[in-house]
Amino acid sequence: MQMSLIIENLSFLHFGPFSFSAKQSQCIGITGASGSGKSLLLRAIADLIPHTGSVKFTGTEQKEIHPVKWRSLVALLPTETAWWHDLVKDHIKYDKVTFEALGLDNTIPEKQTSHLSSGEKQRLGLLRLLKNKPQVILLDEPTANLDPNSKINFEKFILDYQNKNKTILVWTSHDHNQLDRIATKLFRLQNNTLEHVS
C-alpha cells in the first residue's frame, strides 16, 4: 500500500478548517505570513496541540495510534530544537560522512550543546529526528538560520533521504525560491484559507 497523509477539516484554536493530502515521495510546501498559522498547523498534524477534524496516515486515523507512536511516524522538526544533554554525542551518533553532508565538522559530537549555533542545532535536530525513521516529516522553517550554502546542503540531504525512503515531507518556508525547488505541491496560508497555488 502506498503511504499517504490525508488532512480533512483540521481546525485548532481560531484557525481552520484546512484540508489537503499527500502521497509518498511528495513534498508539500506551505508559505504564508508570520502568524498565519503555519507552525500551529504542523503541530496539530503531529498531535501536539488540541484540534478537531481528521488526520489519517495511510488509512489509519491519528486518534487510533498512540501519540508517542504517531509522533515517531509523523515527526516534527520545530523552528527551535530542544537539547537536554551537555554534549552532542549524548543525543545522536552518526558517522563523519553524514555530518559533513550537512556541512558540520566531524568533531561536532564532542561539542557542548550550549555552544551550538542555531543553524547547527537545526541540522543536528534533523539528524536526531531521522534516527526514528519517520514516514512523514514536518519541517517548520528548517533552514531559516542557515547561510545559502548550508541551506542547499540541507535541502539535498533531506531530499536524498526522501528519495531512498519514499517519505512524505510537509515544509513551511518564507523562501519562495526554496519552495519552488523542493515542493511538488505548493499551498499559501492566508486569511485562514489554505490555497493550492501549484
Side-chain angles (χ1 to χ4, degrees):
M1 178 185 291
Q2 269 212 345
M3 285 188 294
S4 62
L5 180 71
I6 300 175
I7 314 295
E8 293 180 327
N9 299 317
L10 183 63
S11 298
F12 43 89
L13 299 176
H14 56 282
F15 295 100
F18 302 124
S19 300
F20 69 91
S21 64
K23 56 189 177 184
Q24 68 183 41
S25 299
Q26 280 194 316
C27 178
I28 305 300
I30 300 176
T31 188
S34 296
S36 60
K38 301 187 304 299
S39 296
L40 290 171
L41 172 60
L42 297 189
R43 289 178 64 80
I45 295 170
D47 199 18
L48 289 168
I49 59 171
H51 56 278
T52 58
S54 172
V55 182
K56 291 181 184 176
F57 172 68
T58 315
T60 303
E61 284 275 4
Q62 182 187 71
K63 60 189 176 185
E64 295 174 14
I65 299 177
H66 189 280
V68 174
K69 175 65 173 174
W70 177 266
R71 289 171 203 142
S72 68
L73 288 170
V74 182
L76 171 65
L77 182 66
T79 305
E80 296 289 336
T81 54
W83 301 85
W84 46 91
H85 297 304
D86 290 336
L87 298 177
V88 170
K89 67 181 180 182
D90 295 327
H91 287 270
I92 53 175
K93 292 176 175 64
Y94 275 94
D95 58 70
K96 68 176 186 178
V97 173
T98 301
F99 287 123
E100 289 172 351
L102 279 168
L104 296 165
D105 192 287
N106 60 34
T107 63
I108 203 164
E110 302 299 328
K111 199 166 183 177
Q112 290 195 6
T113 53
S114 59
H115 294 169
L116 296 172
S117 71
S118 54
E120 287 172 331
K121 286 180 178 178
Q122 207 63 5
R123 286 171 282 174
L124 289 167
L126 175 65
L127 292 179
R128 186 176 60 185
L129 177 146
L130 294 181
K131 273 297 191 183
N132 289 325
K133 301 193 181 307
Q135 303 300 301
V136 179
I137 303 174
L138 311 172
L139 299 142
D140 190 8
E141 295 279 354
T143 62
N145 296 314
L146 300 183
D147 62 67
N149 190 53
S150 296
K151 184 180 291 190
I152 294 299
N153 285 341
F154 186 102
E155 291 173 13
K156 182 179 186 307
F157 187 90
I158 190 63
L159 293 176
D160 284 347
Y161 179 90
Q162 180 190 39
N163 288 336
K164 290 173 186 172
N165 296 279
K166 311 302 181 188
T167 318
I168 295 168
L169 305 179
V170 184
W171 189 313
T172 70
S173 179
H174 290 290
D175 185 337
H176 295 278
N177 290 329
Q178 179 178 70
L179 292 177
D180 285 342
R181 288 193 298 270
I182 61 149
T184 50
K185 285 205 295 193
L186 180 61
F187 292 86
R188 180 180 294 110
L189 183 51
Q190 63 180 1
N191 302 322
N192 205 33
T193 300
L194 193 63
E195 176 192 3
H196 185 197
V197 178
S198 62

